[in-house]
Amino acid sequence: MRKSAKFWNLSLLRFTSIPKFSIRKFSDCTFLDNSIECILGTKQADKGQVSILGYNPRKDRRKLFQKVGVQFQECDYQPEIKVSELCEETACLYKTPADWRELCSQFGIGSKIKNDVKSLSGGERQRLFIVLALIPNPEIVFLDELTTGLDAKARRDVWKILSDLKKKGLSIFLTSHFMDEVEVLCDEICILKKGKVVFYGTVEESKAVSGSKKFEDAYLILSGEEVDGE
Amino acid sequence: MKSFLTLLKNELKLNIRNMNMVIFAVIMPLIVLLILGLLNGTRSAADGVEYTFMEQSFGALCTISICAGGLMGLPLVISEYRERKILKRFQVTPVSPIKLLAVELSIYIIYCLVSMITLIPVAMIFWKVTIHGSWLAFLGSWLLTMISTLSIGMMVGGIAKNSKSASVIACLLYFPMLIFSGTTLPFEVMPEPMQK
């Protein structure tokens, strides 16, 4: 972490200066995992301050996380736990939790409530993690590489869910490696290169800045990862 | 309080489903009791003493579940939860870490209680074991043993990097205690230099 001290300052300052969250995109996974953990306070940044909804995620943890839902990429659960138990255990931590049974049926896993979490398919599990992130009735949700490892159909299902949530006014902080996904879902994007913010704006702006027609090309140019021979 | 009970209920369910602690903390002490009972019956511990061998060993039997919970169960659960990033998931919820640890601690206190409650009637009915001193002193020392052993368990769970090193540390602590403290092997059978 110390090696990349510069990064934490830069990017975290950028985040704090943005008053309102909307769907955003980051790239560059090693820095990315650390930066998300710094934002959420599970890791200590070397310098700088983080503030979400006006709270410091380390000091005001208990107040902040009443209003924020999180899904970590390597999100794990107790072995042998059932869907209902995981939901119940999560719901009991919040003052005004949403009805998890309703959320489960809304996201198409209502019939799986009594199953073991490990017996769910990849898509069902990701939907369960969305449900878990939504249980607090959050104002912001952080979703870390939600669609990695899903098949095309499951991915589209998740997209639909996220778009619906966005329409309802929920702020979503999304990270992804799939440019098609980012283009469809995100209002504002942020591209990181080796941990530094190289672009922040909308998809259209990124195309204009890089002078390319496709967003994926724009991403490759901006992040400096152009494919040889193009 | 409600969240504490819900957490306790679910974590206890998971723990029982895992079966490890049910076997080591509840069933094993009972089996040891049965074996010792069948071997020794109501024989007195040594020539000319008032108490039977079973009465002498009863205290030790009650500590089996405490040691199993405190030195095997608790450190492994805590380090496994950290290794699997389950604690990290709890970190981004409003739950306080103290509450979470208190839930895990309560589970092992429940195991110890269940073990003692099953041991007492069996020992009393079949081998007429009675507590010669005061019950209060017996329960007091039981409580003290439990608290100190479980806190060792919490410490091991806290310092171990992952569940593997937790089990190594726990074994290093558990087996010498089991063998040399006089719980399983009576103090009297040890060679003389060791007794001193």
Side-chain angles (χ1 to χ4, degrees), chain B residues 61-116:
Chain B
L61 290 174
C62 287
T63 55
I64 292 180
S65 63
I66 296 178
C67 287
L71 297 170
M72 290 171 65
L74 196 52
L76 290 187
V77 163
I78 294 176
S79 55
E80 193 196 346
Y81 275 21
R82 193 173 46 230
E83 199 179 14
R84 298 184 67 129
K85 315 238 159 129
I86 293 167
L87 291 184
K88 197 167 97 181
R89 189 158 52 79
F90 278 116
Q91 219 180 340
V92 290
T93 68
V95 73
S96 78
I98 295 170
K99 189 184 268 175
L100 211 57
L101 288 176
V103 167
E104 297 300 333
L105 193 65
S106 313
I107 289 171
Y108 289 94
I109 293 177
I110 290 173
Y111 275 122
C112 296
L113 266 175
V114 169
S115 169
M116 188 172 68

Side-chain angles (χ1 to χ4, degrees), chain A residues 37 42 61-62 65-66 70 72 74-81 85-86 88-89 92-94, chain B residues 3 6-7 9-11 13-14 17 80-81 84-86 88-97:
Chain A
E37 291 209 26
T42 51
R61 198 187 130 245
R62 301 190 62 182
F65 288 113
Q66 291 283 0
V70 179
F72 278 122
E74 356 164 75
C75 177
D76 213 339
Y77 39 85
Q78 292 89 329
E80 342 248 334
I81 201 165
E85 289 162 349
L86 189 56
E88 198 180 67
E89 225 181 65
C92 79
L93 306 175
Y94 299 97
Chain B
S3 63
T6 314
L7 277 175
K9 187 188 85 184
N10 281 317
E11 289 295 311
K13 256 199 247 172
L14 289 175
R17 206 171 292 158
E80 193 196 346
Y81 275 21
R84 298 184 67 129
K85 315 238 159 129
I86 293 167
K88 197 167 97 181
R89 189 158 52 79
F90 278 116
Q91 219 180 340
V92 290
T93 68
V95 73
S96 78

Side-chain angles (χ1 to χ4, degrees), chain A residues 22-38:
Chain A
S22 49
I23 295 193
R24 265 187 220 129
K25 138 97 186 61
F26 291 86
S27 174
D28 203 332
C29 55
T30 44
F31 293 103
L32 184 60
D33 287 341
N34 282 333
S35 51
I36 289 175
E37 291 209 26
C38 281

Side-chain angles (χ1 to χ4, degrees), chain B residues 148-194:
Chain B
S148 51
T149 313
L150 290 185
S151 49
I152 292 175
M154 297 280 265
M155 186 193 75
V156 174
I159 57 175
K161 280 202 187 73
N162 50 43
S163 52
K164 261 193 188 142
S165 62
S167 78
V168 170
I169 298 171
C171 280
L172 282 178
L173 288 169
Y174 183 37
F175 286 102
M177 267 197 232
L178 196 70
I179 295 164
F180 299 126
S181 66
T183 18
T184 42
L185 293 174
F187 182 69
E188 290 77 14
V189 304
M190 290 186 192
E192 211 141 288
M194 261 177 68

Side-chain angles (χ1 to χ4, degrees), chain A residues 115-164:
Chain A
N115 292 28
D116 286 353
V117 175
K118 63 182 171 195
S119 74
L120 298 180
S121 72
E124 287 165 345
R125 207 172 300 169
Q126 293 309 65
R127 272 178 280 168
L128 171 64
F129 289 139
I130 299 179
V131 167
L132 291 180
L134 292 178
I135 281 177
N137 274 325
E139 290 175 29
I140 302 176
V141 287
F142 287 79
L143 304 173
D144 189 2
E145 291 188 31
L146 190 65
T147 53
T148 301
L150 293 187
D151 63 57
K153 166 83 170 66
R155 209 150 72 92
R156 287 295 163 101
D157 288 346
V158 171
W159 288 11
K160 171 122 196 349
I161 291 170
L162 294 183
S163 304
D164 290 349

